[in-house]
Amino acid sequence: MLTTLSIKNYALIEDIRVELSSGMTIITGETGAGKSILLGALALLLGKRADASSVKDASKKCVIEAEFSLADYGLQDVFEENDLDYEPHTIIRRELLPSGKSRAFVNDTPVTVGQLQVLGVHLVDIHSQHETLALSSETYQLEVIDALAGHSSLLKQYSQQYNAYTEASEALSEMKAKKQEAIKELDYQTFLFEELEQAKLDGLDQMELEETYEKLSNSEAIQENLATIDQLFSEEQIGTIETAKTARTALGKVRGFASEYEALWNRLNSAIIELEDIAETVSQAAGDIEADPQQLFQLNEKLQTIHKLQLKHSVASVEELLEIKAALGSQIDGTQQLDDRIAELENKVINLEEQTTKTASELHQGREKVIPTLKEKLESFLGALGLPNAKFQFEIEKQDTFRKNGKDTLALLFTANKGLPFGSLKKIASGGEMSRIMLAVKAVLSQYKKLPTIIFDEIDTGVSGEIAHAMASIMSAMSEEMQLLSITHLPQIAAKGEHHIKIYKEDVNEVTVTRLRPLAGEERIIEIAQMIGGKQVSDVAIANAKELLN
């Protein structure tokens, strides 16, 4: 139940605070006095998109705060599901800052607008002209039926299953499309992989291959030059080694005369040893090298294959080619595994479809079961509201495809008079009839769906006289089960309220502001008399007002 509403710096409101009670509270005021501003502020508090132009003084922040008494409404789960701390006395605050940003709090905990909207649905039901139009929509009509059928948990279950089914179906479609795309590329990927596989690149040292190729390609020149070196080193009379040995013998004869000759002999001796080792290596290398056209041909082919693949794949090493080969192998394996993944998803979709279909069938059965009760109650209320011949037809059919609230389509047909054909509400019902139908719907819902607060914004549009009395009686009965606020222009309804608030405008320092004032006693009589006869209150209007109040 809404116990307090405080509004600062919003539209024409500078600073107001109103205390609200249980039962039926009437809100009246002249056209343009600010009744819609009050509802606008409350809607903003409950998650409506913020509009900086609604702020009265743009240099100050706008603050809307409401206190709710929730101990009797079992809303702990709603708070828990939205990660909010439940308090029996809950305070909600919305602020619009001068910067244009907005922020919101529930029990001083920052919350998102989305959390406000979800919570607001469970706290206040604001009826407006827009909602009367929504009465013609299939979605709203099904919501009414589901409320009577107690489908809250079943709808939640269906929504979870439907979302899971939709998600799995989309994933399956994507996987199948991916497979089709992969199949197009599979042949080329397989060709590239096999081409790299046939090149037998594992363990190859490209630098070593190229070096061997160079040696074999130039074997004749290598042999010729190595032979020359061998001859220069080893010729008996004038070979480099023999000459060095002769020099070493000569140094040996004087090495004992001074340390410097000893050092020269040692250096020359080391050089001779190194030259002999070089000569032996040259000789061995000359023996190892020989022309091998077959090997040269094979090496040439191998290197050409490697260079061709490197050019093709824009890489510079065998290691990079092996990485490409591994990647291609993974892609080919992945394509082949798509069938397994598709099969898994197909099974998942089938199972989810069965579960969702089962829940949709339960929804359908529950709706069919409760429709006669809803029809009877609506027609009964409309009879009391001056439409004794009003009749409804609910045509509900189960479809093959899933929808967001089941598999059902619903056509709600209406006629207000005997002998006239049924038609859709939008085409058949007048404005006054729509208002009465909406009140009947709300009256029925109030018996099944416990809400802390319901607000009617001129639901009495298009009615008067005895119908207004009947409306007032129904609203009064509803207020025994919930807090009911009604913005009205009809004295018959205004007189039925247990509490009365007047909204009016006042000029303060040449600035127009909206004010609120609780009415009681003589003030309330005068207000209702003015609703009956206008500004100039007559004795007759006063008498009528007293009669209505009594």
Side-chain angles (χ1 to χ4, degrees), residues 284-528:
Q284 185 178 345
D288 290 343
I289 192 75
E290 61 181 58
D292 188 343
Q294 180 65 27
Q295 186 184 6
L296 182 62
F297 175 77
Q298 291 173 348
L299 278 173
N300 183 50
E301 277 199 328
K302 191 72 171 178
L303 287 169
Q304 281 190 356
T305 298
I306 292 171
H307 292 150
K308 176 184 173 185
L309 291 170
Q310 288 173 338
L311 183 63
K312 185 173 189 174
H313 293 283
S314 300
V315 297
S317 68
V318 171
E319 288 74 17
E320 290 173 298
L321 287 175
L322 288 172
E323 289 174 5
I324 290 170
K325 176 188 165 188
L328 286 168
S330 297
Q331 290 172 358
I332 291 166
D333 290 342
T335 301
Q336 292 167 347
Q337 291 169 5
L338 281 176
D339 285 336
D340 295 336
R341 180 65 180 137
I342 286 171
E344 288 176 12
L345 282 171
E346 285 176 338
N347 288 331
K348 184 177 181 180
V349 167
I350 289 170
N351 290 333
L352 286 170
E353 184 176 15
E354 289 174 354
Q355 294 170 19
T356 312
T357 298
K358 181 176 180 295
T359 306
S361 295
E362 291 177 25
L363 285 169
H364 178 78
Q365 291 166 9
R367 288 163 177 168
E368 282 193 323
K369 185 177 179 180
V370 82
I371 280 174
T373 301
L374 176 59
K375 180 177 182 297
E376 179 186 346
K377 286 181 176 291
L378 287 176
E379 290 173 357
S380 175
F381 274 116
L382 289 178
L385 290 169
L387 295 173
N389 297 316
K391 299 293 178 185
F392 289 96
Q393 278 186 3
F394 291 83
E395 296 179 354
I396 188 166
E397 294 183 4
K398 189 189 294 185
Q399 304 300 310
D400 294 331
T401 55
F402 292 122
R403 311 177 81 199
K404 287 199 171 182
N405 53 6
K407 281 190 167 184
D408 295 332
T409 57
L410 176 68
L412 175 57
L413 304 179
F414 172 75
T415 183
N417 301 290
K418 287 183 178 180
L420 292 181
F422 284 87
S424 68
L425 282 176
K426 191 174 183 180
K427 294 180 179 178
I428 295 293
S430 66
E433 288 168 346
M434 285 292 279
S435 295
R436 282 178 271 182
I437 293 169
M438 177 55 82
L439 179 60
V441 167
K442 294 292 184 182
V444 174
L445 283 177
S446 69
Q447 300 172 0
Y448 293 85
K449 186 178 179 181
K450 192 172 180 65
L451 263 178
T453 303
I454 186 168
I455 300 175
F456 288 121
D457 181 16
E458 299 184 4
I459 196 170
D460 47 33
T461 299
V463 300
S464 60
E466 287 303 315
I467 306 305
H469 279 292
M471 270 193 164
S473 296
I474 290 173
M475 291 163 70
S476 179
M478 289 173 66
S479 72
E480 294 175 8
E481 301 297 328
M482 64 177 67
Q483 182 187 44
L484 187 148
L485 281 68
S486 177
I487 295 174
T488 183
H489 287 294
L490 292 182
Q492 295 94 328
I493 291 177
K496 275 287 187 180
E498 298 170 63
H499 318 282
H500 194 146
I501 296 172
K502 180 176 182 178
I503 298 182
Y504 61 98
K505 287 194 294 190
E506 187 175 64
D507 292 337
V508 179
N509 298 325
E510 298 186 356
V511 176
T512 301
V513 295
T514 290
R515 305 283 200 199
L516 293 181
R517 185 169 73 247
L519 299 181
E522 192 66 27
E523 282 188 322
R524 191 176 181 196
I525 293 171
I526 296 298
E527 176 71 11
I528 293 174

Side-chain angles (χ1 to χ4, degrees), residues 201-213:
L201 300 173
D202 294 305
L204 281 185
D205 186 332
Q206 185 177 355
M207 189 177 293
E208 184 181 333
L209 286 177
E210 289 174 343
E211 187 177 283
T212 303
Y213 176 78

Side-chain angles (χ1 to χ4, degrees), residues 173-236:
S173 297
E174 288 175 10
M175 196 62 67
K176 286 181 175 179
K178 187 176 180 181
K179 181 186 174 183
Q180 291 302 316
E181 195 64 31
I183 287 172
K184 294 178 184 177
E185 298 177 4
L186 182 61
D187 288 344
Y188 184 56
Q189 289 173 341
T190 303
F191 166 75
L192 292 177
F193 178 83
E194 289 177 350
E195 187 178 46
L196 289 167
E197 180 76 12
Q198 289 166 7
K200 301 185 186 308
L201 300 173
D202 294 305
L204 281 185
D205 186 332
Q206 185 177 355
M207 189 177 293
E208 184 181 333
L209 286 177
E210 289 174 343
E211 187 177 283
T212 303
Y213 176 78
E214 287 297 320
K215 285 165 67 176
L216 289 174
S217 296
N218 298 281
S219 59
E220 187 175 332
I222 292 170
Q223 283 179 327
E224 183 180 328
N225 284 283
L226 288 178
T228 300
I229 294 169
D230 187 46
Q231 184 179 2
L232 290 170
F233 276 5
S234 306
E235 194 172 338
E236 289 186 10

Side-chain angles (χ1 to χ4, degrees), residues 16 27 44 46 130 154 226 258 278 354 365 509 530 539:
I16 62 172
I27 300 173
L44 188 67
L46 299 175
H130 172 73
L154 199 59
L226 288 178
I278 292 172
E354 289 174 354
Q365 291 166 9
N509 298 325
Q530 288 179 340
D539 292 339

Side-chain angles (χ1 to χ4, degrees), residues 234-239 242-243 246:
S234 306
E235 194 172 338
E236 289 186 10
Q237 299 299 322
I238 60 170
E242 290 303 317
T243 303
T246 301

Side-chain angles (χ1 to χ4, degrees), residues 225-275:
N225 284 283
L226 288 178
T228 300
I229 294 169
D230 187 46
Q231 184 179 2
L232 290 170
F233 276 5
S234 306
E235 194 172 338
E236 289 186 10
Q237 299 299 322
I238 60 170
T240 302
I241 296 175
E242 290 303 317
T243 303
K245 284 180 178 180
T246 301
R248 181 179 64 182
T249 301
L251 272 173
K253 293 177 181 180
V254 297
R255 62 189 284 199
F257 298 145
S259 59
E260 59 183 304
Y261 305 139
E262 178 71 24
L264 284 171
W265 187 91
N266 286 331
R267 288 170 64 189
L268 182 57
N269 186 57
S270 296
I272 290 169
I273 293 171
E274 181 66 20
L275 285 170

